[in-house]
Amino acid sequence: MSDKNLRLTSDPASAAAERISTMSISTVSTTSSHNKDSPLRPLKEARHPGEREQKTVPEVTFICPFMGQIRGSVTITNFRLEFVGIDKDSPHGFSVPLGMISSIEKVGGQSSKGENSYGIQIYCKYVRTLFFACKQENHSRRELFDKLQEFAFPLNHNNKFFAFDYKKEFRANGWTIYDPKQEFNRMKLNHDSWKICTINEKYEFSDTYPAIFAVPRLAPEEDIRTVAAFRSRSRIPVLSWINSESQATICRCSQPLVGMTKKRCREDETFLKLIMEANAQCHKLFIIDARPNVNAMANRVCSCSYCVDDHHTTRFWLTLRSVLL
């Protein structure tokens, strides 16, 4: 790192501008015809349905690392921060979705002296840093800071995320766009080997599984319920994908409740064999466990583990460390 990056300064605005100037331009999504390297561009942007203006703070100065000091106003909506310059010759600005803001800090105090030594610094989640200088005499910093805190971090102020205020109207009913039966037909499900199961129609069988899924045709409902009791959160092996030509399938399930005593379940093992037999060309079932091996072993303490090996199965570990089962 160069000495320039390590230099200390008593001017917060200069420090903010210097930090921004060391960033890659690729982190800035906006462009400008005035300067190809500038993150500023003409505004205003169209509002989203349900987006409402909450506060406009005039007479603020944005410290831009590319164009220097730009006077303008900041508008806070329930979705974004929007800066608009007041230069009539080249009115530029930018906006930042409030969800992209990581933290907000006040810079300077009542005793701060010097141009642009008093204001607000905003740290974004995508490495961008913004500094707005405010006038001390009109208390504009307090208004800007309070509104940003209120709408950038809504849960801390008992507010809703903007997604709940979004009012765009859609012609189609989103709950009917996906039809599982039509999806199985699209995959050309072989009904001689598989059947549509509605045991979870009211989500009482497994609260994390869909209302309709496909299971081997020869699996009786009584055995399905026994298998559910042997699987974490009743996530039995169900069909996720099938090759219409080879009848090869991918099924998903949760870990079995084997525990420290290595318990076994006859119905569960039979269910896995039925999945294998649903494809006449299959003679071995490949079990792909997304967890690291050590995690699966540790889960035995919680009465969980992994499927018991036999001559019909082969296991692979993906060692994904963020899988929740």
Side-chain angles (χ1 to χ4, degrees), residues 51-305:
E51 184 177 3
R52 301 182 303 275
E53 293 189 9
Q54 304 297 326
K55 184 69 180 180
T56 296
V57 180
E59 299 183 27
V60 298
T61 302
F62 172 61
I63 310 301
C64 177
F66 308 102
M67 301 175 65
Q69 302 179 17
I70 303 177
R71 295 183 301 118
S73 64
V74 172
T75 298
I76 306 298
T77 74
N78 55 336
F79 171 73
R80 78 186 83 198
L81 173 154
E82 185 177 74
F83 174 79
V84 179
I86 60 175
D87 188 347
K88 296 182 179 180
D89 296 331
S90 57
H92 289 87
F94 61 89
S95 67
V96 176
L98 297 180
M100 292 292 100
I101 294 178
S102 175
S103 62
I104 309 165
E105 296 180 1
K106 293 181 179 179
V107 175
Q110 294 182 352
S111 60
S112 297
K113 297 181 179 180
E115 188 177 15
N116 303 327
S117 62
Y118 180 88
I120 285 179
Q121 188 135 296
I122 300 172
Y123 298 93
C124 298
K125 296 175 182 177
Y126 54 100
V127 195
R128 191 177 183 183
T129 304
L130 309 172
F131 181 78
F132 294 99
C134 305
K135 292 186 176 181
Q136 292 176 278
E137 57 269 19
N138 59 10
H139 304 290
S140 60
R141 184 179 76 168
R142 180 190 305 168
E143 297 175 341
L144 179 59
F145 181 84
D146 290 345
K147 283 298 177 183
L148 277 175
Q149 288 282 356
E150 180 180 354
F151 289 96
F153 312 107
L155 295 184
N156 295 342
H157 298 82
N158 295 321
N159 289 333
K160 298 181 296 184
F161 286 109
F162 175 71
F164 294 97
D165 291 325
Y166 190 57
K167 300 300 182 182
K168 185 174 180 178
E169 295 183 359
F170 299 92
R171 295 180 180 178
N173 180 357
W175 292 105
T176 62
I177 291 176
Y178 174 76
D179 186 329
K181 292 183 179 180
Q182 290 184 5
E183 179 64 11
F184 288 133
N185 290 334
R186 183 192 66 81
M187 292 191 291
K188 299 180 180 179
L189 181 68
N190 183 353
H191 291 278
D192 292 334
S193 303
W194 298 86
K195 65 179 178 181
I196 304 299
C197 183
T198 58
I199 195 173
N200 197 39
E201 195 169 15
K202 296 182 179 180
Y203 300 98
E204 296 174 348
F205 174 80
S206 175
D207 59 356
T208 60
Y209 259 16
I212 297 173
F213 47 74
V215 297
R217 186 179 65 86
L218 297 178
E221 181 175 322
E222 183 179 353
D223 284 4
I224 292 175
R225 293 189 180 277
T226 303
V227 173
F230 188 66
R231 294 278 174 172
S232 174
R233 301 197 67 176
S234 300
R235 296 170 183 160
I236 66 171
V238 295
L239 182 68
S240 295
W241 174 85
I242 185 171
N243 185 297
S244 59
E245 296 181 2
S246 68
Q247 296 299 300
T249 62
I250 297 177
C251 296
R252 64 97 61 214
C253 63
S254 64
Q255 58 191 332
L257 304 178
V258 175
M260 296 295 292
T261 58
K262 298 184 180 181
K263 291 185 296 184
R264 301 181 67 162
C265 175
R266 179 182 57 83
E267 290 81 2
D268 187 84
E269 294 175 20
T270 301
F271 194 88
L272 294 179
K273 289 180 181 178
L274 289 176
I275 291 176
M276 181 180 65
E277 293 170 358
N279 179 1
Q281 304 179 51
C282 178
H283 303 289
K284 185 176 284 289
L285 195 65
F286 294 93
I287 299 177
I288 302 175
D289 199 315
R291 302 166 296 172
N293 188 355
V294 64
N295 288 20
M297 298 298 292
N299 282 346
R300 283 187 175 180
V301 179
C302 303
S303 299
C304 302
S305 188

